[in-house]
Amino acid sequence: MTNALLLSAAYGWFIGLLVLMAVMAVLFVVIAVFAARPFKVGEGVDESYSALKLLEAREAELTAELLNKRDDAETTEKLREVGAAKKLVKELLEQENGVAEEVALGVDSSLTADEAAKLESEEKVAIEQTFGAAADGDGLKKSFSAQLIQSSDEVKVWYFELKNCILCYEKTKVRMHWNNEKFYIGRNNVASLTLRGKQLCLYLALNADDYSDNFPVKSSTSEVYREATPCLFRIRNSKSVQKAKELISLMMADYGVMYVRTNHSIYALPYEDNDALVARGLARPSDDRK
């Protein structure tokens, strides 16, 4: 009888121990799951990236509003506040991830070391200083400057609107070349303007596929542009100029630069004939290989 009672008690203790072990195992699993949650990819980081995207969208919206209103102190102040918030979120993300976000496009391999050094200097370049510094017809090779001089007044206005827009962003600089005009942030070539025939074309350091649903853009097949500024935006009318400004604001948000000044001047660009262009070095005979 005593042995039976002892055996029954031992059996009860054994069952109780098994139940306790099962409960402990479940608790251990629950604790492990909750402990692992902060390290799951996407929870906190995705929320931070969502906040960054919202700030970038708001920045683009305010920039477009400022472009339309020209001088507006209230909008400018809001833009600065959004820019400051975006900068803080990006810094927190960089600390969280351990690496800074990089923009892949915009690398201009044609820059010489001297040109790159000048772009990184504090030198300021005004719009009127860059024009005329540096389309085939009538047996002449014409520079971008020459083509602009002989373009319609409408194209000239669009050109200066876009040029002013880009240069209103902080840290932007511009260089006039024979075939185009390039805009830089540091060493990054973020935009280029040129003429293809009589049409003004804007090239941006963006992936065209990412924006083709909302903007009339396409990927450039030109070797001159597809490395640094592969996103081609053809300027056809005043409406496309406004859409181009919106896209510029989205690109500038990627580079973390703000719309900081309103330099909306349009400089006189009177027509000149071919002889005058040749004399100024802006056009040359097509057989001239220099």
Side-chain angles (χ1 to χ4, degrees), residues 105 203 219-231:
L105 297 173
Y203 292 86
S219 296
S220 173
T221 57
S222 169
E223 292 184 4
V224 177
Y225 303 103
R226 65 186 181 190
E227 178 186 355
T229 52
C231 182

Side-chain angles (χ1 to χ4, degrees), residues 119-166:
L119 286 170
E120 291 183 336
S121 71
E122 292 301 314
E123 175 191 358
K124 301 296 182 183
V125 182
I127 290 177
E128 63 270 28
Q129 290 177 322
T130 64
F131 183 79
D136 294 349
D138 303 321
L140 293 176
K141 287 183 178 179
K142 297 178 183 177
S143 64
F144 175 48
S145 297
Q147 292 178 66
L148 272 174
I149 288 169
Q150 294 188 340
S151 292
S152 67
D153 290 341
E154 191 175 44
V155 168
K156 292 173 185 177
V157 170
W158 296 343
Y159 159 75
F160 278 117
E161 270 201 69
L162 290 173
K163 180 168 183 172
N164 271 299
C165 173
I166 297 170

Side-chain angles (χ1 to χ4, degrees), residues 6 66 81-82 115 120 144 174 179 224 244 250 281:
L6 290 173
L66 189 61
E81 290 174 357
V82 171
E115 289 171 334
E120 291 183 336
F144 175 48
V174 61
N179 292 317
V224 177
L250 292 174

Side-chain angles (χ1 to χ4, degrees), residues 45-57 86 89 93:
V45 175
D46 282 352
E47 289 177 5
S48 298
Y49 274 114
S50 297
L52 183 60
K53 290 298 180 184
L54 287 172
L55 287 169
E56 288 178 347
K86 190 184 76 170
V89 171
L93 279 172

Side-chain angles (χ1 to χ4, degrees), residues 206-220:
L206 294 171
N207 185 345
D209 293 337
D210 294 339
Y211 298 90
S212 57
D213 290 343
N214 299 313
F215 298 91
V217 295
K218 60 180 290 187
S219 296
S220 173

